[in-house]
Amino acid sequence: MENKIKVGIIGATGYAGAELFRLLYSHRNVEIAAVSSTSFEGKAINEVYPALTNEKTYILCDMDGVIEKSDVIFAALPHGLSEELAAKCDGKGKVLIDLGADFRLVDEAEYTKWYGLEYKYPALHEKTLYCLPEINREKIKDIDIIANPGCYPTSIALGLMPAIKNGLVSTDSVIIDSKSGVTGAGRGLSQTTHYPDNNEAFSAYKAGLHRHTPEIEQTLSMFAGKKVNVTFVPHLLPVNRGILSTIYVKTEKTFDEIYAAYEEAYKNEKFVRLQPKGSFANIKNVRCSNYCDISLHFDEHTKTLIITSAIDNMVKGAAGQAIQNMNIRFGFDEGEGISMLAPSF
Amino acid sequence: MENKIKVGIIGATGYAGAELFRLLYSHRNVEIAAVSSTSFEGKAINEVYPALTNEKTYILCDMDGVIEKSDVIFAALPHGLSEELAAKCDGKGKVLIDLGADFRLVDEAEYTKWYGLEYKYPALHEKTLYCLPEINREKIKDIDIIANPGCYPTSIALGLMPAIKNGLVSTDSVIIDSKSGVTGAGRGLSQTTHYPDNNEAFSAYKAGLHRHTPEIEQTLSMFAGKKVNVTFVPHLLPVNRGILSTIYVKTEKTFDEIYAAYEEAYKNEKFVRLQPKGSFANIKNVRCSNYCDISLHFDEHTKTLIITSAIDNMVKGAAGQAIQNMNIRFGFDEGEGISMLAPSF
Amino acid sequence: MENKIKVGIIGATGYAGAELFRLLYSHRNVEIAAVSSTSFEGKAINEVYPALTNEKTYILCDMDGVIEKSDVIFAALPHGLSEELAAKCDGKGKVLIDLGADFRLVDEAEYTKWYGLEYKYPALHEKTLYCLPEINREKIKDIDIIANPGCYPTSIALGLMPAIKNGLVSTDSVIIDSKSGVTGAGRGLSQTTHYPDNNEAFSAYKAGLHRHTPEIEQTLSMFAGKKVNVTFVPHLLPVNRGILSTIYVKTEKTFDEIYAAYEEAYKNEKFVRLQPKGSFANIKNVRCSNYCDISLHFDEHTKTLIITSAIDNMVKGAAGQAIQNMNIRFGFDEGEGISMLAPSF
Amino acid sequence: MENKIKVGIIGATGYAGAELFRLLYSHRNVEIAAVSSTSFEGKAINEVYPALTNEKTYILCDMDGVIEKSDVIFAALPHGLSEELAAKCDGKGKVLIDLGADFRLVDEAEYTKWYGLEYKYPALHEKTLYCLPEINREKIKDIDIIANPGCYPTSIALGLMPAIKNGLVSTDSVIIDSKSGVTGAGRGLSQTTHYPDNNEAFSAYKAGLHRHTPEIEQTLSMFAGKKVNVTFVPHLLPVNRGILSTIYVKTEKTFDEIYAAYEEAYKNEKFVRLQPKGSFANIKNVRCSNYCDISLHFDEHTKTLIITSAIDNMVKGAAGQAIQNMNIRFGFDEGEGISMLAPSF
């Protein structure tokens, strides 16, 4: 294929960056033109990740090298670095797909409150969009600074969209109990993610204090047309990949009415699979895939809708969704490079 | 020690039975007099569990053999079998400690609703008590049919007791998101607990439909002095042992007031460890131990108290608590045989 | 693509069958025409494996239905069933790719000794070939009954081929210590593969008695041009996927000479990656991929060459290699459908 | 008990140190008098390991504080630090039990070769003994500088002792393929032991180059009465605890003769359990216990004896054996504090 677009990955040796590499390597419409890493500049990417060894050698360069050689730049960086990067790309006909948090929040005050930083280039924030295909697919086609959603927020937004948009549940008390695999914590070392400390272990962390909270509330408020507050408690699961969010909302509607609304909302969505009544979404069924599996249950005696929403945090929660956004932006088949099914075992 | 009491285990080859054997083997005040198993009668227990191999050989006999040889009978059986057993023990000066569900519910109608059975010996239910030491230690000393609490209910009752008893939280919307290790599903084979199907997997199950729901509501209602309904959703964790219950309740009180109530409630409880503010209970810190670790967090912007309560489902959630009840019943040191600390790794 | 060939899977609900489905689903040159299952006939495959849910519904039919509708039939069956199947395919222009053991052994006496069965259709065994692409790629193009190698034997044959073929090592004492993930034991339930019994566990099994022994010796003997006996001890690893074989052979050669022979042997093999000196093959780097990673180390003081060879038992050890064989047989790109890189985490 | 001896732990926040604390806490003949840590001096031990929280607070002091307050000092330190420590204890009536490598090798040249250091206090090495109770129980009673064996060497020495001492196997080609849980790598962080990098992973490491090699050869040579060389390849298992060593030796004897020699050798050893013929030692059956399980199998067609030997690397391989040595040294019941059975699940 001669007309492949050139893609680059900034932060290619972090987990999200490595996952981008893995998926883009098999994408028929792109060619990986450059990869960068601050920590491993000058090394080959497969010296860091032997699993990425293939016919060609990809030497890690610096950020500017990636920008220069690529039409599309994927950035997988810690927060606070992407604005500068967007400024460098701006006006050069490049598309930036940012997997970080810097362009996700519409309200600068929220960004400052949760991340402790101010906007350096406010004008760039006018050009960006929070791109979750199932919400705003059409608008993505025109965006050059694509804010790729966070992992927890993706699982939660897809889990609640039909219920809130259709006014089927109360938004007065939204309880979200999420559980994430350890890759969510990244490649960096910490005692918590040391194997013997995390294996056969399980606990909550940052209860009510996780930085994804404003992002979640921003999206749910958009669905509701009014401010929605949530209680959000993440937990760390002793698995590599996967997020399961269990969401509790009160409702006065019947279960059948709610279930029908979800069927309607997702009937044409390739990557959202509403589970049959009585079944439960399981992270194993979405592992290494771009699917989001959603199941609905109803506790009659407390009038509580129980939503469980499962994604792979590295794919639909990061690299896969970024590629889905690129596919939409460039008019490729939306599933190109990310249509593989999960291994069940 | 010459005056050791004789203990027997009925159902010794199920997981709870094997755990009872493991712990009672090191208990200084008892001698294991007999063990039984329907499936493996005639075999030695260490042919089924090589880990239990020691200086002596314990041949698995039938139920009657255990009753005859033991002063205290631990029963770890599927529901529906313990009433008959209690009838056999009744009037013979034997103490029965039942790890099953048959004697836990005070209201026969609830038992019938959730388990599909009726009481055959209603009079025996007058002689029993739901024995959770931290709730009703003193009464246990006089009981000969000890109903040992379920695993999920133990974690939840201890997690909520101080808050509800002191009227510090609303009981209108109690959301309980529990996660259990796979031993909770027992030794019996199923596709769900087949290693490759459960490893790197995570999902909810029986949302709103788990049989521990009436037991949980019975205890919380007793604390509240009125009927309390809960939304209870269990999940299956890819670990062997441990339950973490994350509990969400609304409150008008300050966090400090609530925390102080928990400190007061548990200051003399050896096996309940209130975690420092900011810390999180983790199943790894209670594994293979009889401790219950409780942590409290507060989501200010939704006025929600977040309680996480961790136990080992096989120890404080089953065999360990049964031994704790025996220790109380017989006036032994309450921690005898169950005071070991958890391996951190 | 209009000229896709029609493939069918017999035994589609076993692990190897489900893996074939997963991989063939993304293969550009084929269309899955039919799938069968004795246990689940009449159900959709995604009722058994929700992860396989996609735009189309695949109803499980019987064996004859698959043969009729397919040009290529993949059989993933217990031993003893494939001969009958081959007889049904014979003379109809169908290609059978058998993932079982029935056509692997050249010597019927060995088959009878290890599997307890005799050949029913000896003539069919004249038409088959043990198809390991890296050994006999060219011959595969003409074969209609393709005997797909076993998982352990694949890892071992690739690990030893350059050393034995080039006469670099002694074949008097070949020690093979292999470790396999639990999917190798299949979907069927057993106490050994019950999650709590296998998690945090590790042991050898069938030491010196595993049925792959004659297959291993057959291949190594072919390399050596004389009978080679091996000591083969498999172990069960608490992971889902992956085989690592650690192989010990004595040598009088220098390490550099041996390493060079491996470089030469595999320089054009897409799916065999010789690791740099000093590095170690790891099952994580081949998981869900068709690669075989091989590393070489030398214990100078005992003149022992230490070979470690890693594959994914479900891919290069089963479904992936079967597809590789199909690709060769039909002249497709050898890597089509199986070129994905392993997720590193 | 009034006459408890005072024990101290130097390096109490490493894994071996924490395991010593856990076990000594339940030991009836000792009182933990002091614990030290260079990294966490001034903190309580349960701030580092919440699992160790109990009725009493143990503040981490410095090394000298431990020496002063204790009759027995357990040292769990990186190599190169214990000689200095031994010098400080010498002549003060203190017993030092060293879990490190500094006193294990009799031959200083070997120590220098493998650890790069020379002896500073050669005289102290005259007073020490490599203390493996099953080998030299009687001599331990007189030793004040107890060299506690390494984890791999313990599993291997116990696995081979009866075969080599009785001259039943050839020592010309001893192949040892060992697999260890991750706690063997300690509490320190590394990429290899980062959870997502080690989970679902498996590989060899330091093939032929592990520092336990001279210790293994020293012990086997003592058994054989001549120099024995071994090929030793360790692997990292994705579990927390446990070592399984699979050992291959050639023999001209019958299996029954060999099995009988093992029965005889271990018939009175509480902590060594020879498995029935046909059974396999499994790390799960020794986890958190001081047992060493040994199984024997015979590959008739290659005349190879296959020995598998399982221990918990933190207990029989470190802290438990150290306590066993203390028990022997002080005339306590040899099993005191370490007689617990392993949880099977």
Side-chain angles (χ1 to χ4, degrees):
Chain A
M1 212 175 289
E2 282 151 36
N3 56 343
K4 288 187 175 185
I5 63 170
K6 292 180 193 303
V7 300
I9 306 166
I10 293 176
T13 56
Y15 279 167
E19 188 74 350
L20 281 164
F21 186 96
R22 180 175 80 86
L23 295 173
L24 290 167
Y25 170 78
S26 296
H27 194 293
R28 304 180 210 186
N29 303 117
V30 310
E31 178 199 337
I32 300 175
V35 289
S36 80
S37 164
T38 305
S39 317
F40 298 98
E41 201 182 323
K43 288 203 165 185
I45 194 168
N46 64 307
E47 291 181 81
V48 186
Y49 292 102
L52 301 182
T53 303
N54 60 75
E55 290 84 353
K56 203 176 144 189
T57 301
Y58 297 81
I59 301 295
L60 294 155
C61 64
D62 69 3
M63 192 185 288
D64 291 331
V66 173
I67 297 173
E68 189 190 326
K69 293 180 188 152
S70 312
D71 306 316
V72 182
I73 293 108
F74 292 89
L77 297 169
H79 73 269
L81 301 174
S82 294
E83 264 195 311
E84 202 66 57
L85 175 59
K88 288 188 177 185
C89 294
D90 194 39
K92 292 184 185 149
K94 313 271 186 186
V95 172
L96 174 67
I97 302 180
D98 183 27
L99 282 76
D102 294 357
F103 288 101
R104 289 183 195 151
L105 297 180
V106 171
D107 181 355
E108 184 179 354
E110 285 283 286
Y111 181 69
T112 303
K113 176 181 164 190
W114 289 87
Y115 292 91
L117 297 172
E118 295 178 1
Y119 289 170
K120 289 186 213 155
Y121 303 91
L124 291 176
H125 292 265
E126 303 299 316
K127 300 182 178 182
T128 189
L129 181 71
Y130 185 81
C131 295
L132 186 54
E134 290 77 6
I135 296 179
N136 51 13
R137 179 174 286 110
E138 288 309 311
K139 292 183 184 167
I140 296 169
K141 295 174 182 169
D142 303 318
I143 301 297
D144 286 349
I145 304 177
I146 289 177
N148 206 57
C151 50
Y152 286 123
T154 294
S155 71
I156 294 161
L158 295 175
L160 277 168
M161 182 169 65
I164 297 183
K165 269 202 172 170
N166 293 292
L168 301 175
V169 296
S170 164
T171 54
D172 288 348
S173 172
V174 179
I175 305 284
I176 304 169
D177 190 290
S178 292
K179 302 88 178 173
S180 173
V182 186
T183 51
R187 186 178 188 274
L189 307 182
S190 71
Q191 203 67 48
T192 308
T193 56
H194 188 46
Y195 186 87
D197 289 11
N198 190 66
N199 182 37
E200 299 290 295
F202 184 72
S203 75
Y205 69 100
K206 293 188 189 163
L209 300 172
H210 194 281
R211 280 170 169 166
H212 281 173
T213 307
E215 185 181 338
I216 295 163
E217 295 185 344
Q218 172 179 288
T219 306
L220 302 189
S221 298
M222 190 190 70
F223 294 158
K226 63 177 178 181
K227 180 77 179 94
V228 174
N229 288 332
V230 304
T231 303
F232 172 55
V233 179
H235 300 70
L236 193 60
L237 273 178
V239 303
N240 275 14
R241 288 160 175 260
I243 283 178
L244 188 89
S245 292
T246 309
I247 307 171
Y248 302 86
V249 278
K250 300 291 177 185
T251 182
E252 297 297 321
K253 305 294 178 182
T254 67
F255 182 57
D256 285 350
E257 191 173 351
I258 295 167
Y259 193 87
Y262 275 75
E263 284 186 306
E264 179 60 25
Y266 292 132
K267 66 183 176 189
N268 295 320
E269 287 296 346
K270 176 184 174 68
F271 289 118
V272 181
R273 299 186 297 200
L274 180 63
Q275 301 300 294
K277 289 179 188 174
S279 293
F280 287 91
N282 191 319
I283 59 169
K284 78 173 169 182
N285 294 325
V286 298
R287 187 171 50 214
C288 295
S289 90
N290 200 51
Y291 288 99
C292 174
D293 281 359
I294 294 174
S295 63
L296 303 176
H297 293 82
F298 187 52
D299 184 358
E300 184 68 42
H301 92 308
T302 60
K303 300 288 177 201
T304 304
L305 178 67
I306 302 152
I307 304 159
T308 56
S309 171
I311 61 169
D312 182 315
N313 57 306
M314 300 306 300
V315 187
K316 185 64 177 168
Q321 185 149 269
I323 293 170
Q324 188 179 1
N325 279 322
M326 175 190 73
N327 288 342
I328 294 169
R329 172 63 182 75
F330 286 87
F332 303 145
D333 182 303
E334 189 170 326
E336 174 53 35
I338 50 174
S339 288
M340 61 286 172
L341 299 170
S344 303
F345 40 81
Chain B
M1 210 176 286
E2 284 153 36
N3 55 345
K4 288 186 176 187
I5 62 168
K6 292 180 192 305
V7 300
I9 305 167
I10 292 176
T13 57
Y15 279 168
E19 188 73 353
L20 280 164
F21 186 97
R22 181 176 79 87
L23 295 173
L24 290 168
Y25 170 79
S26 297
H27 194 293
R28 305 181 210 186
N29 303 117
V30 310
E31 177 200 336
I32 300 176
V35 290
S36 81
S37 164
T38 304
S39 317
F40 298 98
E41 198 181 326
K43 286 201 166 187
I45 195 167
N46 63 307
E47 290 181 81
V48 186
Y49 291 102
L52 302 183
T53 303
N54 60 75
E55 289 85 352
K56 201 175 145 190
T57 301
Y58 296 82
I59 301 295
L60 293 155
C61 62
D62 68 3
M63 191 183 288
D64 291 332
V66 173
I67 297 173
E68 189 190 325
K69 292 179 190 152
S70 312
D71 306 316
V72 181
I73 293 108
F74 291 90
L77 297 169
H79 72 269
L81 300 175
S82 292
E83 262 194 311
E84 202 67 55
L85 176 59
K88 286 187 179 187
C89 294
D90 193 40
K92 292 184 185 149
K94 313 272 184 183
V95 171
L96 174 67
I97 301 181
D98 184 28
L99 282 76
D102 295 355
F103 288 101
R104 289 182 194 152
L105 297 180
V106 170
D107 181 352
E108 183 179 354
E110 284 283 286
Y111 180 69
T112 303
K113 176 181 163 192
W114 289 87
Y115 293 91
L117 297 172
E118 294 179 1
Y119 290 169
K120 290 186 212 154
Y121 302 90
L124 292 177
H125 292 265
E126 303 299 317
K127 301 183 177 179
T128 188
L129 181 72
Y130 184 81
C131 295
L132 186 53
E134 289 78 8
I135 297 178
N136 52 12
R137 181 175 284 109
E138 289 309 312
K139 291 184 186 167
I140 295 169
K141 294 173 185 171
D142 303 317
I143 301 297
D144 285 349
I145 304 177
I146 288 177
N148 205 57
C151 51
Y152 286 122
T154 294
S155 73
I156 295 161
L158 295 175
L160 277 168
M161 182 169 65
I164 296 184
K165 269 201 171 168
N166 293 293
L168 302 175
V169 296
S170 164
T171 54
D172 288 347
S173 173
V174 179
I175 305 284
I176 304 167
D177 190 291
S178 291
K179 302 88 176 173
S180 173
V182 187
T183 50
R187 187 178 186 273
L189 307 182
S190 71
Q191 203 66 49
T192 309
T193 55
H194 188 47
Y195 186 86
D197 290 10
N198 190 68
N199 183 37
E200 298 292 291
F202 185 70
S203 75
Y205 70 100
K206 292 187 191 165
L209 300 172
H210 194 284
R211 280 172 170 162
H212 281 172
T213 307
E215 184 182 337
I216 295 163
E217 295 186 343
Q218 171 179 290
T219 305
L220 301 189
S221 298
M222 189 189 71
F223 294 158
K226 62 176 178 182
K227 179 76 179 94
V228 174
N229 288 332
V230 303
T231 304
F232 171 56
V233 179
H235 299 69
L236 193 60
L237 273 178
V239 303
N240 276 12
R241 288 159 176 261
I243 283 178
L244 188 88
S245 292
T246 310
I247 307 170
Y248 302 85
V249 278
K250 299 291 176 185
T251 181
E252 297 298 322
K253 306 294 178 181
T254 68
F255 183 57
D256 285 350
E257 191 175 350
I258 294 167
Y259 194 88
Y262 275 75
E263 286 187 305
E264 178 62 24
Y266 292 132
K267 67 182 177 190
N268 294 320
E269 287 296 344
K270 173 183 176 67
F271 289 118
V272 181
R273 300 187 294 200
L274 180 63
Q275 301 300 294
K277 289 179 187 175
S279 293
F280 287 92
N282 191 319
I283 58 168
K284 79 173 168 182
N285 293 326
V286 297
R287 189 171 47 216
C288 295
S289 90
N290 199 52
Y291 287 100
C292 174
D293 280 0
I294 293 173
S295 64
L296 303 176
H297 294 81
F298 187 52
D299 184 357
E300 182 69 40
H301 92 310
T302 60
K303 300 290 180 202
T304 304
L305 176 68
I306 301 152
I307 305 158
T308 55
S309 171
I311 61 169
D312 182 316
N313 56 306
M314 300 306 302
V315 186
K316 185 64 177 170
Q321 184 148 271
I323 293 170
Q324 189 179 0
N325 279 322
M326 175 189 73
N327 288 341
I328 293 169
R329 171 66 181 72
F330 286 87
F332 304 145
D333 182 304
E334 190 171 326
E336 174 53 35
I338 50 173
S339 288
M340 62 285 172
L341 299 170
S344 303
F345 40 80
Chain C
M1 211 173 287
E2 283 152 35
N3 56 345
K4 289 186 175 185
I5 62 169
K6 291 181 193 304
V7 300
I9 306 166
I10 292 176
T13 56
Y15 279 169
E19 188 74 351
L20 280 164
F21 185 96
R22 181 175 80 86
L23 295 173
L24 290 168
Y25 171 79
S26 297
H27 193 293
R28 303 180 212 187
N29 303 116
V30 310
E31 177 199 336
I32 300 176
V35 289
S36 80
S37 164
T38 305
S39 316
F40 297 98
E41 198 181 326
K43 287 201 168 188
I45 195 169
N46 65 305
E47 291 181 81
V48 186
Y49 292 102
L52 301 182
T53 303
N54 60 75
E55 290 84 352
K56 202 176 146 190
T57 302
Y58 296 82
I59 302 295
L60 294 155
C61 63
D62 67 5
M63 191 183 287
D64 292 331
V66 172
I67 297 173
E68 189 191 325
K69 293 180 188 152
S70 312
D71 305 316
V72 181
I73 292 106
F74 291 91
L77 298 170
H79 72 269
L81 301 174
S82 293
E83 264 195 312
E84 201 66 56
L85 176 57
K88 286 187 181 187
C89 294
D90 193 40
K92 294 185 184 147
K94 313 272 185 185
V95 172
L96 174 66
I97 302 180
D98 184 27
L99 283 77
D102 294 356
F103 289 100
R104 288 182 194 151
L105 296 180
V106 170
D107 181 353
E108 184 179 353
E110 284 284 287
Y111 181 69
T112 302
K113 176 181 165 191
W114 289 88
Y115 292 92
L117 297 172
E118 294 178 1
Y119 289 169
K120 288 186 215 156
Y121 302 90
L124 292 177
H125 291 266
E126 304 299 316
K127 302 183 177 182
T128 190
L129 182 71
Y130 185 81
C131 295
L132 186 52
E134 289 78 7
I135 297 179
N136 51 11
R137 180 175 286 109
E138 288 309 312
K139 293 185 185 166
I140 295 170
K141 293 173 184 172
D142 303 317
I143 301 297
D144 285 349
I145 303 177
I146 289 177
N148 206 57
C151 50
Y152 286 122
T154 295
S155 72
I156 294 160
L158 295 175
L160 277 169
M161 182 171 64
I164 297 183
K165 270 201 170 169
N166 293 293
L168 303 175
V169 296
S170 163
T171 54
D172 289 346
S173 172
V174 179
I175 305 283
I176 305 168
D177 189 291
S178 291
K179 303 88 176 172
S180 172
V182 187
T183 52
R187 187 178 186 271
L189 307 181
S190 71
Q191 202 68 48
T192 308
T193 56
H194 188 48
Y195 186 88
D197 289 10
N198 191 67
N199 183 38
E200 300 291 290
F202 185 70
S203 75
Y205 70 100
K206 293 186 190 163
L209 300 172
H210 194 283
R211 282 173 168 163
H212 282 173
T213 307
E215 184 182 339
I216 294 163
E217 295 184 345
Q218 171 179 289
T219 305
L220 301 189
S221 298
M222 189 190 70
F223 293 159
K226 62 176 179 181
K227 180 75 179 95
V228 175
N229 289 332
V230 303
T231 303
F232 172 54
V233 179
H235 300 69
L236 193 60
L237 272 178
V239 305
N240 276 12
R241 289 160 175 261
I243 282 178
L244 188 88
S245 291
T246 309
I247 306 170
Y248 301 85
V249 277
K250 299 291 176 188
T251 181
E252 297 298 323
K253 306 293 178 182
T254 68
F255 183 57
D256 285 349
E257 191 174 352
I258 295 169
Y259 193 88
Y262 275 74
E263 284 186 306
E264 179 62 23
Y266 292 131
K267 68 183 175 189
N268 294 319
E269 288 296 345
K270 175 183 175 67
F271 289 119
V272 181
R273 300 186 297 200
L274 180 63
Q275 302 300 294
K277 288 180 188 174
S279 293
F280 287 92
N282 192 317
I283 58 168
K284 78 174 171 182
N285 293 327
V286 297
R287 189 172 48 215
C288 294
S289 90
N290 199 54
Y291 289 100
C292 174
D293 282 0
I294 293 173
S295 63
L296 302 176
H297 294 81
F298 187 52
D299 185 357
E300 184 67 43
H301 91 310
T302 60
K303 300 289 181 202
T304 304
L305 177 67
I306 301 152
I307 305 159
T308 56
S309 172
I311 61 168
D312 183 317
N313 57 307
M314 300 305 302
V315 187
K316 185 64 175 168
Q321 185 147 271
I323 293 170
Q324 188 179 359
N325 279 323
M326 175 190 72
N327 288 341
I328 293 167
R329 170 65 182 73
F330 286 86
F332 303 145
D333 182 304
E334 189 171 327
E336 174 53 35
I338 50 171
S339 288
M340 61 286 170
L341 299 170
S344 304
F345 40 80
Chain D
M1 212 176 285
E2 282 152 36
N3 55 344
K4 289 186 174 186
I5 62 169
K6 291 181 194 303
V7 300
I9 306 166
I10 292 176
T13 58
Y15 279 169
E19 188 73 352
L20 280 164
F21 186 96
R22 181 176 79 85
L23 294 173
L24 290 167
Y25 170 78
S26 296
H27 194 293
R28 304 180 209 186
N29 303 115
V30 310
E31 178 198 338
I32 300 175
V35 289
S36 81
S37 164
T38 305
S39 317
F40 297 99
E41 198 181 327
K43 286 203 167 186
I45 195 169
N46 63 307
E47 291 181 81
V48 186
Y49 292 102
L52 301 183
T53 304
N54 59 74
E55 290 83 354
K56 202 175 145 188
T57 302
Y58 296 81
I59 301 296
L60 294 153
C61 64
D62 67 5
M63 191 184 287
D64 292 332
V66 172
I67 297 172
E68 188 191 326
K69 292 180 188 151
S70 311
D71 305 315
V72 181
I73 293 108
F74 292 90
L77 297 169
H79 72 269
L81 301 175
S82 293
E83 265 195 309
E84 202 67 56
L85 176 58
K88 286 187 179 186
C89 294
D90 194 40
K92 292 185 185 147
K94 312 271 184 185
V95 172
L96 174 67
I97 302 180
D98 184 26
L99 282 77
D102 294 357
F103 289 101
R104 289 183 194 151
L105 298 180
V106 170
D107 180 354
E108 183 178 356
E110 284 284 287
Y111 181 69
T112 302
K113 175 181 166 193
W114 289 87
Y115 292 92
L117 297 172
E118 294 178 359
Y119 289 169
K120 291 187 212 154
Y121 303 91
L124 291 177
H125 291 265
E126 304 298 317
K127 301 183 177 182
T128 189
L129 182 72
Y130 185 80
C131 296
L132 186 53
E134 289 78 7
I135 297 179
N136 51 11
R137 181 175 284 109
E138 288 309 312
K139 292 183 184 166
I140 296 169
K141 294 174 183 169
D142 303 317
I143 301 297
D144 285 349
I145 303 178
I146 289 177
N148 206 56
C151 50
Y152 287 122
T154 294
S155 72
I156 295 161
L158 295 176
L160 278 168
M161 181 170 65
I164 297 183
K165 271 202 170 169
N166 294 292
L168 303 175
V169 295
S170 162
T171 54
D172 288 347
S173 172
V174 180
I175 305 284
I176 304 169
D177 189 291
S178 291
K179 303 88 177 172
S180 172
V182 187
T183 51
R187 186 178 186 272
L189 306 182
S190 72
Q191 204 65 49
T192 308
T193 56
H194 189 46
Y195 186 87
D197 290 10
N198 190 68
N199 184 36
E200 300 290 291
F202 184 71
S203 76
Y205 69 100
K206 294 186 189 166
L209 301 171
H210 194 283
R211 281 172 169 163
H212 281 173
T213 307
E215 184 182 337
I216 295 163
E217 295 184 343
Q218 171 179 288
T219 305
L220 301 189
S221 299
M222 188 189 73
F223 294 158
K226 62 176 179 182
K227 179 76 177 96
V228 174
N229 288 333
V230 303
T231 303
F232 172 55
V233 178
H235 299 71
L236 193 59
L237 272 179
V239 303
N240 276 13
R241 288 161 177 259
I243 282 178
L244 188 88
S245 292
T246 309
I247 307 169
Y248 302 85
V249 278
K250 300 290 177 188
T251 181
E252 297 298 322
K253 304 294 178 180
T254 68
F255 184 56
D256 284 350
E257 191 174 352
I258 295 167
Y259 194 88
Y262 277 74
E263 284 187 307
E264 178 62 24
Y266 292 133
K267 66 183 177 189
N268 295 320
E269 286 297 344
K270 174 184 176 67
F271 289 119
V272 181
R273 298 186 297 200
L274 180 63
Q275 301 299 294
K277 288 179 188 174
S279 294
F280 286 93
N282 192 319
I283 58 169
K284 77 174 170 181
N285 293 326
V286 298
R287 188 170 52 215
C288 295
S289 89
N290 200 54
Y291 288 99
C292 174
D293 281 0
I294 293 174
S295 63
L296 302 176
H297 293 82
F298 187 52
D299 185 357
E300 183 67 41
H301 92 309
T302 60
K303 301 287 178 202
T304 304
L305 177 68
I306 302 152
I307 305 159
T308 56
S309 170
I311 61 168
D312 182 317
N313 57 307
M314 300 306 300
V315 187
K316 185 63 176 169
Q321 186 149 270
I323 292 171
Q324 188 179 359
N325 279 323
M326 174 188 75
N327 289 340
I328 293 167
R329 171 64 181 75
F330 286 87
F332 303 145
D333 180 304
E334 189 172 326
E336 174 53 35
I338 49 173
S339 288
M340 60 286 170
L341 299 170
S344 304
F345 40 80

